Amino acid sequence: MNPQACVADSAVLGPGVQVDPLAYIGPETHVGARTRIGSGCYLGAGVHVGEDCVLEAGVVILDGCTIGHRVRMAPGSVLGTDGFGYAQDEGRHHKIPQVGTVDIGDGVCMGAGVCIDRATTGATRVGADCELGPMVQLGHNVRLGARCRLDFQVGIAGSSVLGDDVVIEAQAGLHQHITVGSGAHLGPRAGVINNIPEGAWYTGFPARPQEETAAIDQAVASLPQWLRENFKNPPPATQEP
């Protein structure tokens, strides 16, 4: 352990744990064997980190979160921030206490800047062997099945549930309380406001089956030509820059 690290007396470090300079490990926190805690990492109270994990510089894991074995977290990832829960009363927003936790399965890989909110109650869960790209955000009480792949800048609102082997491409977003069936595939920038069945491929906003979205896009692209052919005073054609 580096002498510039700060480790609480009640923390438990397994054999072969590496703690880099300026890392902090809080009370009652357990770190499994051969795990590396990078420079500037913060592990709050009661955190459990499994064996053979790599937490790169600046990772933050707040109180009570649980990390499985062989988990990799890129710089700047944050687990356990308060979920975005508010109730409105007499014209003011009042924060709902977020007293749950975050549970990360074995073999999960997270890119830089991933942010996963703690649950309002219970746990926000990421299943085994999921891959989360940079800047992915998971809201409170979200549950991911095993082997899901979320590309960069995917956002999932609170209490949504994904089955196993779901693929979500870059910048797609899910509304709250959405269910996505196992094996589904969501295209780039898909806006999901309804449940997605198992094995389906959805794209567009709002997200529709890929074939339907393609047909709509083709119809929209042909609309200027249709107007020119069917109206005496058609709108001017768009000029090339």
Side-chain angles (χ1 to χ4, degrees):
M1 183 177 66
N2 191 282
Q4 291 182 301
C6 179
V7 179
D9 293 339
S10 58
V12 178
L13 307 185
V17 169
Q18 176 183 332
V19 184
D20 290 347
L22 305 180
Y24 171 83
I25 300 178
E28 306 298 332
T29 286
H30 292 243
V31 180
R34 300 172 300 280
T35 286
R36 179 167 69 84
I37 309 298
S39 180
C41 287
Y42 177 94
L43 278 62
V47 170
H48 287 256
V49 179
E51 300 177 353
D52 300 301
C53 295
V54 177
L55 277 55
E56 298 186 21
V59 165
V60 174
I61 303 177
L62 298 176
D63 296 357
C65 295
T66 300
I67 313 297
H69 304 303
R70 305 180 307 283
V71 172
R72 299 183 64 90
M73 297 179 64
S77 293
V78 180
L79 304 185
T81 47
D82 271 3
F84 194 73
Y86 293 86
Q88 192 172 39
D89 181 55
E90 296 182 352
R92 296 183 59 189
H93 289 94
H94 300 270
K95 187 166 179 55
I96 298 172
Q98 308 290 299
V99 298
T101 185
V102 175
D103 185 1
I104 305 297
D106 296 342
V108 171
C109 183
M110 303 182 200
V114 168
C115 182
I116 302 179
D117 293 345
R118 69 174 59 247
T120 306
T121 60
T124 302
R125 301 184 186 278
V126 176
D129 299 313
C130 287
E131 298 183 10
L132 310 182
M135 307 301 290
V136 165
Q137 203 278 332
L138 305 182
H140 58 82
N141 293 95
V142 165
R143 301 201 306 273
L144 270 59
R147 300 174 303 279
C148 294
R149 194 192 81 206
L150 279 56
D151 291 351
F152 64 88
Q153 296 183 340
V154 166
I156 301 181
S159 299
S160 291
V161 178
L162 276 61
D164 298 334
D165 302 299
V166 172
V167 175
I168 304 180
E169 298 191 46
Q171 297 185 334
L174 277 67
H175 190 51
Q176 59 188 355
H177 298 279
I178 293 293
T179 298
V180 179
S182 295
H185 191 129
L186 305 177
R189 304 188 75 179
V192 182
I193 59 175
N194 294 301
N195 295 338
I196 305 295
E198 291 187 6
W201 191 311
Y202 273 52
T203 59
F205 184 86
R208 300 180 175 91
Q210 184 183 29
E211 297 82 1
E212 184 177 338
T213 300
I216 292 171
D217 290 345
Q218 184 176 9
V220 171
S222 64
L223 185 58
Q225 180 64 30
W226 184 88
L227 291 172
R228 287 191 293 271
E229 293 174 352
N230 290 275
F231 287 86
K232 293 182 177 180
N233 298 307
T238 301
Q239 294 183 353
E240 295 294 332

